[in-house]
Amino acid sequence: MPSLPAVAGVRLGAAAAGLRYQGRPDVVMAEFAPGTTVAGVFTRNRCPGAPVDWCRAALAGGQARALVVNAGNANVFTGRAGVAATEATAAAAAALVGCAPAQVFLASTGVIGQVMPHDKLTAALPALHAALRADRWADAAHGIMTTDTFPKAATRSARIGGTEVRISGIAKGSGMIAPDMATMLCFIATDAAIPAPALQALLARGVGASFNCTTVDSDTSTSDTVLLFATAAAAHAPVPTAGGAMLRGFRAALDEVLLDLALQVVRDGEGARKLVRIDVAGAVSAKSAKRVAMAIANSPLVKTAIAGEDANWGRVVMAVGKSGEPADRDRLSVAMGGVWMAREGTVVDGYDETPVVAHMRGSEIGIAVDLGLGTGRARVWTCDLTHGYIDINGSYRS
Amino acid sequence: MPSLPAVAGVRLGAAAAGLRYQGRPDVVMAEFAPGTTVAGVFTRNRCPGAPVDWCRAALAGGQARALVVNAGNANVFTGRAGVAATEATAAAAAALVGCAPAQVFLASTGVIGQVMPHDKLTAALPALHAALRADRWADAAHGIMTTDTFPKAATRSARIGGTEVRISGIAKGSGMIAPDMATMLCFIATDAAIPAPALQALLARGVGASFNCTTVDSDTSTSDTVLLFATAAAAHAPVPTAGGAMLRGFRAALDEVLLDLALQVVRDGEGARKLVRIDVAGAVSAKSAKRVAMAIANSPLVKTAIAGEDANWGRVVMAVGKSGEPADRDRLSVAMGGVWMAREGTVVDGYDETPVVAHMRGSEIGIAVDLGLGTGRARVWTCDLTHGYIDINGSYRS
């Protein structure tokens, strides 16, 4: 994990509330300077957790003063008790910070369907709040982990109107809290001063090209949350509400942080041993290319072949065909590790598997498909499907 | 495997052509009496194999005199050589039977992207044709197997206008020819006399409620084929071109044969140890219900939980939500093994897991979801996702 420098206007920390785990931090809190703007992107799952509902509503105000995250209980499918838990947590944090509850943002990851023991959580907040510091990013990255095998963090700097600003983020990913689902959470803070509408546009675009271009197993958590906080502590020239050209450098740096974190999540996919990049070109549109790429990325047969280090381009052809997108078998080309093995509907004359076999043994696999129909392109990432995935997800709750 | 009685007008058999396997039958041929009508349903994969293209074209004539099936080579993604192989095979069979090539139906299953050694196949046909007999259904069921762990067959009788007719079928399923994809092939014959349009309507409807309601891993083979042949050897009253009420009993029996074979295929899913039935009710439409049911059936997290005998209803909620279909978390109910464990958005008061845990240990698992929105219903079947699936599909080609 890279060392994250302080972001002016952010103090954070972690504490052990004993929600599910014992003897490790499981609650993370951050306090943001007055005037902090916020943007958020959430799961598309139609059965989201109560904290997702809370954040969606709070986002309307565009202002944030605090973030409270817990690991161990997802507060999903908990009915009215779940709503009450979010209200109590936000109220407790708001009282400590001195802000409106709607300026407190919440996220939970862990077991589904168990009522959140929110009294334990709120009981831990006063001491946690008193100990918040600017240099506790590593504690926060560890505190949101579930069965992630490593903490995930990324940082970049950028310039807005000649002034340097910092963007730092942490994420947790496809580790599981046995026996429940992988949840992706990501929290990013910057000291830039960016109006909420511009911040939201930047985040939505950046997530679309990073987290939303990754998949571990096609299953969509009820709790996925990405939040971006801008503390306005940096003294740069004012940014227009709509953003615009002066944010070009900031946007590039933010996109890098998002992609860095998203790929860390995929790399730590449950049981994953290989990171797989899939490039689709020649589709009738970018949207069609992405659907084809995701069909390949989510195919259990493609993913098990990669786990077996098998350059099985037949399964890639199958996955292209099952996507339902326009494809012409006789114009289709497939490459692995940069070697085009099948072109225009059949295997390449004199195809030599040797370099591809060597590529498949590596930890980063590249698959490319050219549909030969148009100019639509997409790039997505996934991981292989291994015995480890079955072990993690098929074990009985204990 | 049930013993299949002869179907008047059908002679069949199997032979070893050495296409890929050694020392086992890998080519199956059937000859049908003159006047046999045919119906077919094929993969929706956009990159189908050459034999699928061949059958789709041949089906326009509505008449069949022969079927040739091989295991070991799928003749998929083989370009012009693949088309030539289908033409040569059909011509050879047509010459033996004395019919037009368009009355010969073909199917292949096995490795993708390798040119079919069709000379070996056609060399085996004369002796195979000379040995065709009415009582060789078991040989045929074995001859189309790839890594299926058991042969699949089903038979029923029905009455058309007071005359008994027979419906018998064989299938091969989700076993793999390492390293390629699972292909589902199914061939059914009846001695009934049914015009091709009525036969096609019956088959399409029956496949829609059986094979198309099953999934092993969401991957769609390039070769899936279901063919139904009606030899007209039974002396019943004439059936109108459009079918109609006199086929009611026949339709019910055909549906039973199709569902029986489809469930045998799922039960033999790669690595499967449990057959899982998923019932969705209360959806806004039947179509929506089926999409929700398929989202559950294809979820790796649901399937690994079942493998682990874990009554993990949280993952079912997640899968409902990820389907994208209308769903209201707070009206959703989930049952396993007939026990409603979650109702209206939260766990049932005093939920006792004991009977559900016992149910999960069995080999047939039932999951029910009530969306509480409308009257749409659907039932689909899947299997669990185990280490066996990874073993079968992750092993390197040898």
Side-chain angles (χ1 to χ4, degrees), chain B:
Chain B
M1 177 183 158
S3 163
L4 297 198
V7 175
V10 181
R11 295 184 308 124
L12 66 179
L19 293 174
R20 178 181 173 92
Y21 304 115
Q22 301 301 322
R24 60 150 274 193
D26 57 357
V27 180
V28 169
M29 184 175 184
E31 181 176 332
F32 307 106
T36 294
T37 54
V38 60
V41 175
F42 305 95
T43 180
R44 291 174 185 158
N45 194 296
R46 298 284 185 106
C47 300
V52 170
D53 286 350
W54 174 272
C55 286
R56 282 197 169 112
L59 208 60
Q63 300 283 318
R65 289 298 313 284
L67 168 70
V68 179
V69 186
N70 74 276
N73 185 309
N75 193 13
V76 169
F77 219 64
T78 43
R80 299 193 60 82
V83 177
T86 58
E87 289 168 351
T89 307
L96 291 166
V97 172
C99 68
Q103 293 176 314
V104 177
F105 285 76
L106 304 173
S108 299
T109 175
V111 176
I112 281 190
Q114 290 184 7
V115 173
M116 164 85 99
H118 63 81
D119 50 336
K120 287 188 188 175
L121 199 167
T122 51
L125 288 183
L128 172 55
H129 179 255
L132 297 180
R133 285 172 46 169
D135 61 355
R136 292 288 162 83
W137 281 89
D139 292 352
H142 280 93
I144 62 173
M145 285 169 65
T146 54
T147 55
D148 296 63
T149 66
F150 56 87
K152 295 161 186 74
T155 186
R156 296 288 190 283
S157 65
R159 288 190 172 270
I160 300 181
T163 302
E164 182 167 294
V165 299
R166 169 70 35 195
I167 307 171
S168 292
I170 58 175
K172 62 111 7 198
S174 322
M176 294 279 296
I177 293 191
D180 289 297
M181 75 196 57
T183 283
M184 189 281 296
L185 301 181
C186 175
F187 309 104
I188 300 173
T190 176
D191 53 349
I194 301 180
L199 202 65
Q200 182 66 35
L202 289 174
L203 184 66
R205 192 193 126 113
V207 169
S210 56
F211 285 105
N212 284 346
C213 287
T214 63
T215 179
V216 168
D217 60 7
S218 85
D219 280 338
T220 308
S221 161
T222 49
S223 303
D224 291 338
T225 297
V226 181
L227 292 168
L228 168 59
F229 303 93
T231 67
H236 58 71
V239 170
T241 306
M246 74 183 292
L247 289 181
R248 194 172 297 150
F250 180 88
R251 188 177 75 191
L254 174 63
D255 286 350
E256 283 186 27
V257 168
L258 286 165
L259 185 58
D260 190 337
L261 290 170
L263 295 189
Q264 289 183 50
V265 167
V266 176
R267 211 181 281 275
D268 200 16
E270 292 159 352
R273 293 182 309 173
K274 294 172 192 285
L275 178 67
V276 185
R277 191 179 82 190
I278 297 163
D279 286 291
V280 172
V284 295
S285 68
K287 195 172 175 181
S288 179
K290 185 166 175 192
R291 285 194 181 140
V292 170
M294 278 296 195
I296 300 167
N298 279 324
S299 161
L301 288 174
V302 170
K303 291 157 68 76
T304 47
I306 294 167
E309 304 188 341
D310 177 9
N312 194 319
W313 55 271
R315 294 189 186 174
V316 176
V317 172
M318 173 281 303
V320 170
K322 87 163 187 175
S323 73
E325 292 299 309
D328 178 344
R329 177 187 63 200
D330 298 328
R331 293 191 188 191
L332 186 61
S333 303
V334 180
M336 293 193 192
V339 177
W340 292 92
M341 50 225 304
R343 272 198 195 278
E344 296 180 354
T346 192
V347 68
V348 168
D349 262 349
Y351 164 53
D352 171 15
E353 202 175 43
T354 314
V356 183
V357 168
H359 174 74
M360 300 306 288
R361 292 204 186 107
S363 63
E364 304 209 351
I365 306 299
I367 297 177
V369 167
D370 191 330
L371 297 173
L373 298 178
T375 58
R377 294 181 162 273
R379 171 175 287 181
V380 309
W381 289 266
T382 189
C383 56
D384 55 342
L385 173 55
T386 70
H387 283 295
Y389 184 87
I390 309 287
D391 284 334
I392 294 167
N393 292 304
S395 64
Y396 191 74
R397 277 172 291 187
S398 55

Side-chain angles (χ1 to χ4, degrees), chain A residues 40-371:
Chain A
V41 176
F42 305 96
T43 181
R44 291 172 183 159
N45 193 298
R46 297 284 186 105
C47 299
V52 170
D53 286 349
W54 174 273
C55 286
R56 282 197 169 112
L59 207 58
Q63 299 283 320
R65 289 297 313 284
L67 167 70
V68 180
V69 185
N70 74 276
N73 186 309
N75 195 11
V76 169
F77 217 65
T78 43
R80 299 192 61 80
V83 176
T86 57
E87 290 169 351
T89 307
L96 291 165
V97 172
C99 67
Q103 294 176 316
V104 178
F105 286 76
L106 304 172
S108 298
T109 175
V111 175
I112 280 189
Q114 290 183 9
V115 173
M116 164 86 97
H118 64 82
D119 49 336
K120 287 189 187 175
L121 199 166
T122 51
L125 288 183
L128 172 56
H129 179 254
L132 297 181
R133 285 175 45 170
D135 62 354
R136 292 286 162 85
W137 280 89
D139 292 352
H142 280 93
I144 62 172
M145 285 169 66
T146 53
T147 55
D148 297 61
T149 66
F150 56 87
K152 296 161 186 73
T155 186
R156 298 286 189 284
S157 64
R159 287 188 174 273
I160 299 180
T163 303
E164 182 168 294
V165 299
R166 169 73 34 198
I167 306 171
S168 292
I170 57 175
K172 60 107 16 194
S174 322
M176 292 279 293
I177 294 192
D180 288 298
M181 76 195 57
T183 283
M184 187 283 295
L185 301 181
C186 175
F187 309 104
I188 300 174
T190 176
D191 53 349
I194 302 181
L199 201 65
Q200 183 65 34
L202 288 174
L203 184 65
R205 191 192 125 114
V207 169
S210 57
F211 285 106
N212 284 345
C213 287
T214 63
T215 178
V216 168
D217 60 7
S218 83
D219 281 338
T220 309
S221 162
T222 49
S223 304
D224 291 338
T225 297
V226 181
L227 292 168
L228 168 58
F229 303 93
T231 66
H236 57 73
V239 170
T241 305
M246 73 183 292
L247 290 181
R248 195 173 296 151
F250 180 87
R251 189 177 76 192
L254 174 65
D255 287 350
E256 282 184 28
V257 168
L258 286 165
L259 185 59
D260 191 337
L261 290 170
L263 295 189
Q264 289 183 51
V265 168
V266 176
R267 213 181 279 273
D268 199 16
E270 292 160 351
R273 293 181 309 174
K274 293 172 194 281
L275 177 68
V276 185
R277 191 179 82 188
I278 296 164
D279 286 291
V280 172
V284 295
S285 69
K287 195 172 176 183
S288 179
K290 184 164 175 193
R291 286 195 180 139
V292 170
M294 277 297 195
I296 299 168
N298 279 323
S299 162
L301 288 174
V302 170
K303 289 157 69 76
T304 48
I306 293 166
E309 305 188 340
D310 178 8
N312 194 320
W313 54 270
R315 294 188 187 174
V316 176
V317 171
M318 174 281 301
V320 170
K322 88 164 187 176
S323 73
E325 291 300 308
D328 178 343
R329 178 187 63 201
D330 299 329
R331 292 191 188 191
L332 186 61
S333 303
V334 180
M336 293 192 191
V339 178
W340 291 92
M341 51 225 303
R343 271 196 197 279
E344 296 180 355
T346 192
V347 67
V348 168
D349 261 349
Y351 165 54
D352 172 15
E353 203 174 41
T354 314
V356 184
V357 167
H359 175 74
M360 299 307 286
R361 292 204 187 106
S363 63
E364 303 209 352
I365 306 300
I367 297 177
V369 167
D370 191 330
L371 298 173

